[in-house]
C-alpha cells in the first residue's frame, strides 16, 4: 500500500511509473476516460456519466436565485 501516491499521480495526471506493479484507478471510476488534471482535458461544458447517473455540465445546471 506504500505506492498509493504513484497510483494517485497516474490517476490524476497520467504519469507512468516504470516498474510499478499495478497502476489502477483509486480516485476516479474505473471506466473514466482520461486524466482530469492534465491540460488537454476539457474544463467544462461536457456532460458526465458517473455510475449510471448523468451529471449535466456546469453551464447547463439549474441556478437558484
Amino acid at each position: 500500500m506504500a505506492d498509493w501516491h504513484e497510483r494517485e499521480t497516474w490517476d490524476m495526471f497520467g504519469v507512468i511509473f516504470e516498474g510499478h506493479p499495478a497502476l489502477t484507478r483509486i480516485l476516479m471510476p474505473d471506466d473514466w476516460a482520461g486524466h482530469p488534471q492534465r491540460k488537454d482535458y476539457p474544463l467544462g461544458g461536457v456532460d458526465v456519466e458517473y455510475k449510471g447517473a448523468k451529471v449535466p455540465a456546469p453551464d447547463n445546471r439549474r441556478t437558484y436565485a
Side-chain angles (χ1 to χ4, degrees), residues 1-64:
M1 192 62 192
D3 58 358
W4 66 268
H5 54 283
E6 293 174 354
R7 290 174 54 195
E8 183 176 353
T9 302
W10 175 80
D11 198 5
M12 293 285 107
F13 296 97
V15 177
I16 298 175
F17 294 91
E18 288 187 25
H20 194 280
L23 286 176
T24 56
R25 297 245 185 223
I26 57 174
L27 298 174
M28 304 300 291
D30 292 335
D31 59 348
W32 193 272
H35 305 280
Q37 297 297 318
R38 291 178 57 108
K39 289 187 176 187
D40 59 353
Y41 194 78
L43 293 177
V46 178
D47 294 337
V48 175
E49 193 164 325
Y50 182 74
K51 294 188 178 181
K54 189 171 186 180
V55 179
D59 53 348
N60 293 333
R61 295 180 191 165
R62 288 178 32 185
T63 59
Y64 300 97

